[in-house]
Amino acid sequence: MSTIDDVDVLAGRLDLNLLRVFMAVMQERSITLAGSRLGLTQSATSAAVNRLRQQLNDQLFVRTRQGMEPTSLAIALATPVGNALGLIRDALEESRGFDARTTAREFRLLMTDVGELMFLPRLTAWVHEHAPGVRLSCRQVPRDQYGAELETGGADLALGMLPLGERDFVQQRLKDETLVCLACAGNPVARKRLTMDAFLSLPHVVIRAPAMGDRFVVKALGERAGRRKIVAEVQHYLSVPMILRDSPFLAVVSTSVAAELAGPNRLAALPLPFKLEPLAIRQFWHKRWNNDPGHRWLRSGIVSLFGRAARR
DNA sequence: ACCACGATTGACACTCGCCT
DNA sequence: AGGCGAGTGTCAATCGTGGT
């Protein structure tokens, strides 16, 4: 149990700016990057980390090949410090009121390249129109790191087909997606209903992106999946329209991705010749953001743009 | 051994609060 | 108002580490 003296000591010595530096280094794993994010030089950031090291009597970050790795104390502090800074920001924002027209806030989003394709064109335009000072900062991290990123404050919100079953997270279903088959508009198969025979006999371009729905196709096809002829496997979507253009190849993508890619690339989106369960697209966040006015503003904007009631 | 990159350290400047 | 010290910033030099 802490005493009055403990509180006095903390109140007298602990500087919130040092905690901001701590969280920035925790998220960037680099003194230099953390400094540039905070508008400080490398040496000022290093000095700030050193002051915190002395105050907490712990190395906090150790230099390794992977960057500045946190010590066990730093890892233990990350979540409560992140929560505390979030509460302070909430309190300040609450007292001032969140004003989308004047805020200069940065929202850090996690999504896959499919997500960027699906969300960013409309979301960026909407943010620019309603909150010209807001910056969206999007990152891709491995699927299993989403929870840690949201928990430590490395990201504010995640979007996509990535359910986080863990405690302390909130998820909101935006809409259901289905998968369709993209083919060159000149492909004879694009002029009639796609049959299972045509689907299995034509060569496929398979996208092996982290959140791609090919695993659902394999599951739905069952033992027939092995009959698919795969001509190419790619990691992301950038090259897919160029590969399909003027080719006999097929690629399975979500309806939203098909809507973005088909028109400009003279491609046709064809219903699949088999049934698939709908795929839920959600937004996820840590529960500490529930009442944050800025966060609520962004979430409701995303719902209005991409929720079930939204119309293009 | 050399090089590149990034963290640390030292010297110095500036600001701010406290005291006289 | 002016002196003083603490805190924190920049700049430049140095150090440590990994890659070639």
Side-chain angles (χ1 to χ4, degrees), chain A residues 62-83:
Chain A
V62 183
R63 222 173 134 172
T64 70
R65 297 170 69 167
Q66 285 76 39
M68 298 297 276
E69 285 297 318
T71 63
S72 56
L73 178 67
I75 292 168
L77 287 174
T79 299
V81 168
N83 287 340

Side-chain angles (χ1 to χ4, degrees), chain A residues 53-107:
Chain A
R53 281 171 172 153
Q54 283 168 17
Q55 292 187 10
L56 299 179
N57 199 26
D58 186 273
Q59 192 60 20
L60 295 176
F61 300 97
V62 183
R63 222 173 134 172
T64 70
R65 297 170 69 167
Q66 285 76 39
M68 298 297 276
E69 285 297 318
T71 63
S72 56
L73 178 67
I75 292 168
L77 287 174
T79 299
V81 168
N83 287 340
L85 291 178
L87 283 172
I88 291 168
R89 184 163 71 171
D90 287 358
L92 294 174
E93 206 158 69
E94 195 85 49
S95 68
R96 284 198 303 253
F98 175 79
D99 184 351
R101 300 298 313 178
T102 57
T103 185
R105 187 159 164 182
E106 177 187 29
F107 289 102

Side-chain angles (χ1 to χ4, degrees), chain A residues 161 173 175-179 211-216 253-254 276-282:
Chain A
M161 285 195 303
R173 194 171 183 138
K175 61 175 175 177
D176 289 336
E177 283 272 293
T178 52
L179 300 181
M212 186 43 217
D214 194 65
R215 63 184 184 282
F216 302 109
V253 301
S254 68
L276 271 181
E277 290 297 310
L279 312 172
I281 306 296
R282 298 179 171 95

